[in-house]
Amino acid sequence: DEEYLSDLWILEFVEGTLPQWRAISKLTGQQPGKEAQWPAARWAHTMTTTQSGFLMFGGSSPGLLFDDLWQCRLDMGEEGLEARWSEIEVAGPKPCARAGHAAAACELYPLVVCGGNTLPPDLTTFSDIWTLSLCGDRGHWQRVDSVTLEARIGHCAGVLSNRLIIFGGRALSTAASHSDQGFSTTVDVVDLATGAHRTVDVLSSPQGRNFMRTGHALLHHATGLAFHGGMYKAPLAAEQEVRDDILLLHAF
């Protein structure tokens, strides 16, 4: 049976010892006897870092699709770090409930969300971008109306100098805008300050198909973004290919 989790873990690094995983415990409510808030179990959601902790958005579990937005503050307790979750109240329009989206943070916005999908039987893949502004425990979403992406899931997004970089992913079904088994063939660059958008066609490179993938991981490094792993299935191929390479995208 499938099990969906709602736990929170940190990997601790202490000089002179091996890294250790530790589960973070719940803080009790601020009022005596009040149950602490904690998000429902889910998968295919996103988490981004803030100065005091994390922001979490979306995801799904059997028969459920989430559009909730949570803030997690980490406080030092008697036994180490403890987590205090609180759901952020949102006024006005907001992204549709989704999973499989990508998220990033930057100087302008603590959270930027793009793409993702809904659940069967009414399966929809999204092509939108939303930015979040925060004021205390209240949030306001704003759609970037000047940009429409290729609809996709399983992609990654990072920010370099307030430019949103979107790489990889695939459509749930092959569409005209996806020329290779539904896998995205572009790198999208969106200026979050001006809304300007440009794309780079990876197939223009002799090694273009080596860049196409979904389910990969992203990490910021000193000069740009690093992508690792993922899955790709070539046209007419019997089996998918799980990749173990590392790609570096330098700032430009």
Side-chain angles (χ1 to χ4, degrees), residues 211 213 221 225-229 243-249:
F211 302 135
R213 62 194 65 208
H221 67 97
L225 302 175
F227 303 92
H228 174 257
R243 296 185 161 167
D244 61 357
D245 53 353
I246 295 178
L247 305 177
L248 298 180
L249 176 64

Side-chain angles (χ1 to χ4, degrees), residues 1-247:
D1 293 335
E2 293 179 336
E3 180 182 3
Y4 289 75
L5 305 174
S6 62
D7 50 356
L8 184 63
W9 292 75
I10 61 170
L11 182 61
E12 294 182 319
F13 291 85
V14 178
E15 187 175 355
T17 65
L18 293 175
Q20 291 186 339
W21 284 103
R22 184 169 65 82
I24 299 180
S25 61
K26 301 179 184 180
L27 280 174
T28 58
Q30 295 182 356
Q31 300 177 9
K34 183 179 179 181
E35 182 70 18
Q37 286 188 300
W38 199 268
R42 65 191 69 199
W43 81 305
H45 50 295
T46 54
M47 293 182 69
T48 54
T49 58
T50 65
Q51 291 183 344
S52 58
F54 311 97
L55 288 172
M56 186 186 76
F57 172 73
S60 68
S61 64
L64 295 174
L65 197 63
F66 298 103
D67 63 359
D68 50 354
L69 177 65
W70 289 80
Q71 184 169 244
C72 180
R73 292 187 174 93
L74 299 179
D75 298 311
M76 187 60 66
E78 294 181 357
E79 299 181 359
L81 283 176
E82 296 176 321
R84 187 188 302 278
W85 285 100
S86 60
E87 188 170 0
I88 295 175
E89 182 180 344
V90 175
K94 61 181 180 179
C96 298
R98 65 190 65 199
H101 51 284
C106 65
E107 295 179 0
L108 295 176
Y109 304 105
L111 181 60
V112 182
V113 168
C114 59
N117 67 283
T118 60
L119 297 176
D122 299 322
L123 205 56
T124 300
T125 310
F126 295 110
S127 60
D128 50 356
I129 300 176
W130 292 78
T131 60
L132 176 73
S133 299
L134 283 179
C135 182
D137 289 331
R138 295 178 179 269
H140 175 74
W141 287 103
Q142 179 70 43
R143 181 168 178 166
V144 182
D145 290 323
S146 61
V147 178
T148 299
L149 304 170
E150 287 184 322
R152 68 185 80 183
I153 63 168
H155 48 297
C156 281
V159 175
L160 300 174
S161 302
N162 291 322
R163 290 171 296 175
L164 180 68
I165 315 296
I166 303 163
F167 172 73
R170 69 182 302 183
L172 289 179
S173 60
T174 303
S177 60
H178 291 259
S179 60
D180 202 307
Q181 298 293 300
F183 287 86
S184 175
T185 61
T186 63
V187 176
D188 290 81
V189 183
V190 180
D191 190 318
L192 295 172
T194 66
H197 173 218
R198 67 189 182 98
T199 62
V200 178
D201 185 0
V202 300
L203 292 182
S204 63
S205 165
Q207 301 298 319
R209 280 191 168 77
N210 292 335
F211 302 135
M212 298 164 62
R213 62 194 65 208
T214 188
H216 45 291
L218 173 149
L219 177 70
H220 288 79
H221 67 97
T223 61
L225 302 175
F227 303 92
H228 174 257
M231 181 274 288
Y232 173 68
K233 186 176 182 181
L236 304 179
E239 297 182 356
Q240 63 189 29
E241 174 189 351
V242 179
R243 296 185 161 167
D244 61 357
D245 53 353
I246 295 178
L247 305 177

